[in-house]
Amino acid sequence: MSDDYACTARNETPLERADRNFAELLQELRVTQTGVQILFAFLLTLAFSPRFPSLDAVQRGTYVTTLLLAVLAAALFTAPAALHRSLFQQRAKPLIVRVSSRLAAVGLGVLVLTLAGSVLLVVDVTSGRTEGVLAGAGTLVVCVGLWGVLPRLARRPLARVEAALAEEPTGRPAGDVRPAADSRPAGARGGAPRPMRRERCR
């Protein structure tokens, strides 16, 4: 059977699943892109503020690094759209989804550093170097915890449920598509053939 018609747990083909996954990914990217755009605009305006010339070398270095990280994050979050446009109508949607998902994951990592750098710079200028370092480190810990550790903790019970569902009552492994034995008499088996049970897959 062609891969385009293989079933999934949602009774959709791989191409339908790729379309759904890409649409969900774009919804996620819209949220992060908005935050990156606002942060990038804020960083650009800092260079034209009256107090910017009074920044010391460390603060200027923090500003430039954070600004470049914001540019990199914006580029990573918009790359899936460019990738989709380049491979449009070339039956490459599953590949686009895989690559775009990795780009988004890297973009989130860069965004964490951008947020931490922005908080470090602002608190350093307003309150002092020590307070800025503590605030930046706290921002880094919070983002890593919510975006990295929390999903891993939430995935553990799901893994146990998946393992339980993989065991079927018949004792056969999930995905076994052999039809069950027909216990009817030989003379009563006429008519249309019985359809085979659809393969369970994710």
Side-chain angles (χ1 to χ4, degrees):
M1 179 168 34
S2 172
D3 291 341
D4 292 348
Y5 297 96
C7 70
T8 67
R10 294 173 179 259
N11 292 324
E12 58 189 2
T13 68
L15 290 180
E16 291 173 340
R17 183 181 186 184
D19 289 336
R20 175 176 59 82
N21 289 341
F22 191 65
E24 294 176 354
L25 178 63
L26 290 180
Q27 292 294 337
E28 297 169 0
L29 291 177
R30 288 190 181 99
V31 176
T32 53
Q33 283 175 350
T34 301
V36 171
Q37 290 169 356
I38 295 175
L39 181 59
F40 182 58
F42 164 74
L43 291 172
L44 286 179
T45 58
L46 287 181
F48 303 98
S49 63
R51 193 173 178 181
F52 187 81
S54 64
L55 299 183
D56 59 27
V58 175
Q59 293 168 343
R60 288 175 180 269
T62 302
Y63 170 77
V64 173
T65 302
T66 304
L67 180 66
L68 295 179
L69 287 173
V71 173
L72 179 58
L76 288 168
F77 287 138
T78 55
L83 181 65
H84 179 265
R85 181 49 45 196
S86 300
L87 300 178
F88 184 65
Q89 290 186 344
Q90 297 187 26
R91 298 180 62 86
K93 184 61 69 66
L95 175 62
I96 293 174
V97 171
R98 289 194 300 271
V99 175
S100 298
S101 179
R102 293 170 184 171
L103 290 172
V106 176
L108 287 175
V110 175
L111 180 58
V112 169
L113 299 177
T114 306
L115 293 173
S118 301
V119 173
L120 168 61
L121 175 62
V122 173
V123 178
D124 182 11
V125 173
T126 58
S127 300
R129 183 67 41 82
T130 302
E131 291 80 358
V133 172
L134 292 176
T139 302
L140 183 64
V141 170
V142 170
C143 290
V144 170
L146 292 177
W147 298 357
V149 178
L150 180 60
R152 293 181 181 275
L153 294 178
R155 193 180 305 158
R156 291 181 179 179
L158 294 178
R160 291 194 293 266
V161 172
E162 290 288 340
L165 291 178
E167 296 295 332
E168 294 187 343
T170 58
R172 292 186 308 211
D176 190 345
V177 296
R178 292 176 298 175
D182 195 342
S183 59
R184 294 179 299 170
R189 298 180 186 175
R194 296 176 60 189
M196 293 179 61
R197 180 170 59 88
R198 293 196 66 178
E199 179 186 359
R200 285 184 58 190
C201 54
R202 295 177 176 86

